[in-house]
């Protein structure tokens, strides 16, 4: 009940796509939809007067990553038909564009923040091509930053630039969350075979029993659901038949 912005967003984000992964009963579908709506409403109390989102409700300090993450969730929820307050989302994307245009850092983590911010703006239908072009001319120190920026270009109908950016780009990254972000990018860039291999890697990690944060789990589940929805096309879960020597089970 007292979660930070990242925690409550992580709880609801995968529930946007549960029906892509599981055959939900009508009651389960209603529960998931109500959970998503609740988090959309709760995020109002995390938004600051400037438009960004604080880590905790009522705080005046904006968390840049939490802001991009919350808007990522809100934009996807809106695309899936949820009623997202227009003013809340508009205020947030305006703030993000201001930050994107004034950004001039060089640290690897800050580059990734900027790349994620620009990706989310493009996803929300508010691409900032000037800021994207400036970041593209920067020597990006983490592969995931380049994957995210390429996704932003693809979502902005700049497929040729996006394809050129990820040519020969490494798939091997250390942070677990980055694998899910790259899978998400591969789906956007229609790299089905590479995306499948990344999905296998993520699935093995999730089945390993290792501990992952709510945000890491959220990114992984939603990215996996995007792969299923795009390439398998099922909205009712996945049916599996295992053939053995004695017949079907």
């Amino acid at each position: 009940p007292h979660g930070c912005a990242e925690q409550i967003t992580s709880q609801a984000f995968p529930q946007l796509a549960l029906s892509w992964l599981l055959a939900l009963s009508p009651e389960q579908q209603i529960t998931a939809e109500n959970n998503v709506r609740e988090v959309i409403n709760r995020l109002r109390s995390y938004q600051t007067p400037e438009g960004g989102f604080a880590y905790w409700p009522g705080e005046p300090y904006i968390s840049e990553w939490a802001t991009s993450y919350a808007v990522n969730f809100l934009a996807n929820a809106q695309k899936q038909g949820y009623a997202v307050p227009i003013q809340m989302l508009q205020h947030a994307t305006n703030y993000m564009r201001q930050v994107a245009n004034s950004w001039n850092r060089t640290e690897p983590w800050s580059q990734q923040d900027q790349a994620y911010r620009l990706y989310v703006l493009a996803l929300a239908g508010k691409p900032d091509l000037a800021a994207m072009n400036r970041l593209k001319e920067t020597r990006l120190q983490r592969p995931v930053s380049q994957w995210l920026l390429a996704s932003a270009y693809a979502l902005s109908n700049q497929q040729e630039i996006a394809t050129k950016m990820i040519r020969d780009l490494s798939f091997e990254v250390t942070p677990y969350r980055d694998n899910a972000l790259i899978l998400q990018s591969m789906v956007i860039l229609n790299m089905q075979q590479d995306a499948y291999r990344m999905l296998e890697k993520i699935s093995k990690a999730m089945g390993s029993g290792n501990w992952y944060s709510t945000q890491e789990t959220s990114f992984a589940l939603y990215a996996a659901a995007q792969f299923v929805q795009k390439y398998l096309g099922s909205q009712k879960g996945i049916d599996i038949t295992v053939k053995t020597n004695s017949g079907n089970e």
Side-chain angles (χ1 to χ4, degrees), residues 18 54 66 76 101 134 159 174 188 195 204 207 211 249:
L18 274 182
N76 278 289
N101 278 287
R134 286 195 298 273
Q159 188 65 43
T174 302
I188 291 169
K204 288 177 182 178
W211 181 89
E249 296 183 357

Side-chain angles (χ1 to χ4, degrees), residues 93-143:
T93 54
N94 286 345
Y95 169 77
M96 291 173 67
R97 286 179 67 90
Q98 291 173 6
V99 175
N101 278 287
S102 62
W103 181 86
N104 59 1
R105 308 288 292 272
T106 58
E107 301 92 343
W109 61 266
S110 185
Q111 289 180 344
Q112 186 168 335
D113 277 358
Q114 176 75 340
Y116 184 46
R117 181 182 299 114
L118 293 169
Y119 158 73
V120 171
L121 282 169
L123 180 71
K126 307 287 185 181
D128 190 327
L129 289 171
M132 289 160 57
N133 290 338
R134 286 195 298 273
L135 185 62
K136 184 168 67 73
E137 298 306 316
T138 304
R139 181 179 175 275
L140 297 175
Q141 300 179 57
R142 291 179 178 171

Side-chain angles (χ1 to χ4, degrees), residues 73-217:
F73 162 70
L74 292 171
N76 278 289
Q78 186 181 63
K79 287 178 183 293
Q80 290 176 223
Y82 286 91
V84 175
I86 294 175
Q87 186 175 6
M88 177 170 71
L89 189 55
Q90 182 69 50
H91 199 23
T93 54
N94 286 345
Y95 169 77
M96 291 173 67
R97 286 179 67 90
Q98 291 173 6
V99 175
N101 278 287
S102 62
W103 181 86
N104 59 1
R105 308 288 292 272
T106 58
E107 301 92 343
W109 61 266
S110 185
Q111 289 180 344
Q112 186 168 335
D113 277 358
Q114 176 75 340
Y116 184 46
R117 181 182 299 114
L118 293 169
Y119 158 73
V120 171
L121 282 169
L123 180 71
K126 307 287 185 181
D128 190 327
L129 289 171
M132 289 160 57
N133 290 338
R134 286 195 298 273
L135 185 62
K136 184 168 67 73
E137 298 306 316
T138 304
R139 181 179 175 275
L140 297 175
Q141 300 179 57
R142 291 179 178 171
V144 69
S145 298
Q146 198 148 328
W147 281 105
L148 287 167
L149 186 56
S151 296
Y153 276 106
L155 290 168
S156 306
N157 297 316
Q158 302 287 329
Q159 188 65 43
E160 185 176 346
I161 295 175
T163 301
K164 185 176 180 180
M165 285 189 66
I166 54 89
R167 190 176 297 148
D168 301 324
L169 188 59
S170 175
F171 299 177
E172 298 300 321
V173 291
T174 302
Y176 174 75
R177 183 185 65 188
D178 290 1
N179 286 303
L181 290 170
I182 291 174
L183 172 57
Q184 188 172 267
S185 296
M186 288 174 169
V187 171
I188 291 169
L189 295 163
N190 202 29
M191 301 169 62
Q192 184 174 359
Q193 295 303 317
D194 293 319
Y196 181 75
R197 287 191 286 272
M198 182 60 78
L199 177 61
E200 282 189 311
K201 180 179 179 180
I202 291 170
S203 298
K204 288 177 182 178
M206 291 191 73
S208 68
N210 293 334
W211 181 89
Y212 296 107
S213 71
T214 53
Q215 186 183 133
E216 288 172 325
T217 303

Side-chain angles (χ1 to χ4, degrees), residues 12-22 76 80 180 183-184 187-188 195 199 202-203 206 217-238:
F13 212 150
Q15 295 188 67
L16 287 173
L18 274 182
S19 62
W20 301 345
L21 294 172
L22 303 170
N76 278 289
Q80 290 176 223
L183 172 57
Q184 188 172 267
V187 171
I188 291 169
L199 177 61
I202 291 170
S203 298
M206 291 191 73
T217 303
S218 172
F219 271 121
L221 287 171
Y222 194 77
Q226 286 180 300
F227 179 94
V228 169
Q229 196 265 348
K230 181 168 184 176
Y231 295 116
L232 302 183
S234 173
Q235 298 288 325
K236 299 179 180 178
I238 305 170

